[in-house]
Amino acid sequence: MNKKSILSKLPSVDELLNCDEVIHLIDQIPRKVVVNSIRKCLQNYRNKILAMKESELANLQVNMSELIENVIYQSEKFMAMNLRKVINATGVVLHTNLGRALLSDEIKEEVWSVAAGYSNLELNVDTGKRGSRYSHVVELIKYLTGADDALVVNNNAAAVMLVLSTMAKEKEVIVSRGELVEIGGSFRVPDVMEQSGAKLVDIGTTNKTHLWDYEKALGENTAALLKVHTSNYKILGFTEEVALKELVALGRKNNVPVIEDLGSGVLVDLQKYGLTYEPTVQESVALGVDVVTFSGDKLLGGPQAGIIVGNKHWIDQMKKNPLTRAFRIDKLTMAALEATLKLYLDEEEMIKKIPTLKMLTESVASLQKRAQQLYDILANLDLPMEIKEDFSQVGGGSLPLEKLPTKVIAIKPMHLSVSKLEEKLRSHTIPIITRIQEEQLIIDVRTIKEEDYDIIKKALKDTMKI
Ligand SMILES: *Cc1c(COP(=O)(O)O)cnc(C)c1O
């Protein structure tokens, strides 16, 4: 048979539309989508035939059921949400690629009622006049941090940009060379400064910066001293940096404001829970830093946002900067942020209800219990596995050296290679993200919810089918 005659045997779009399976499909999926999938599948089939060698054509039959199956698959795939739930079995709590901080179940109602209905986003219900979208969280942030005033934007990168653009445009900002941080490819302190119009004056060396380095650099054109928290790396060994307190004193003496980019913006002293010390927002405010910026979705455990706290004089100026409008946060974020911050009002509740804090502070005993639970659920799959001790990470460029002791399930598959198993789990309907270590597949229970154990079991079972 030649190609032309095979191609002529392909069904038409209408023929496919009249098949029982496709008629049934159109009950659930918009007709337009199905027609589009049919066209695509037919085109693929045509291309496949055209690419074949004459010798391969001999026994070729148009396979109707395969074609229909493809149409169903393509239509369903088109309708499925592309941005969707995954199971994070990596043990990295603030996994930037997996959406960083999880929002608390506790705040669902609050967020949804603002999302699905009208809200007083920019209405002052007391006066009936126009209100400010920032007003909803300002008092709360002031109360929690001790700051004079606050403003919230889209993320911390935007916060830093807004602060520098407002306070230091066409002027100099002094930064230690040890703090020229890069956070993921696109955020580099020197680049953000350049974009904001501020001029970077870098001082000291990578490992040592002294107070006199700052003093020497101070001049007529100095708009601010900037301290950047080296949140995603540590310089160890022969090092020296100027304490915030000394920097604030120097700023005061010279009438130059001090700005601090804190990165993670933790609001509780994590040492109480056995983690490494991470400077809190309250401490920076108490030490007299004029303006502090931090993220909403790192250790704070809220939605993506950039929070700016500090001196009212500066915050007022920022509000007048046109960038504030460009960087403004939407109502869903506002609702989620306010509701998350409210959880901070009760410290005991906060640790239980903010998922990031809960995961970071889970005890090894509790992790062991949960690992055993998952192990028992997976036991009858007949997969060689064991419960092992390992370490989870904080992630999100926070506490880079922290190794959180955890319990993991380590699987050594027999039916396929470890990397193939990792790949198959990753491409499951609900993708399961794992890691490989010493030829074993590692499932860290720290970042897995109990309700997902059965999904993991089903996915593992699916990988055993041929
Ligand atoms: C993470 C981080 C940023 C960027 O914050 P986003 O909220 O991700 O925009 C800026 N500065 C520091 C020091 C950080 O750690």
Side-chain angles (χ1 to χ4, degrees), residues 279-293:
T280 65
V281 180
Q282 295 92 312
E283 283 169 300
S284 294
V285 170
L287 283 171
V289 178
D290 297 85
V291 171
V292 183
T293 74

Side-chain angles (χ1 to χ4, degrees), residues 100 155-158 160 181 183 187 228-232 261-264 294-298 304-306 396-397:
R100 279 202 193 154
N155 53 30
N156 188 32
V160 174
V181 179
I183 315 284
F187 182 95
V228 184
H229 179 45
T230 58
S231 44
N232 58 359
D261 172 10
L262 252 185
S264 248
F294 52 98
S295 280
D297 59 351
K298 289 188 182 169
Q304 180 192 303

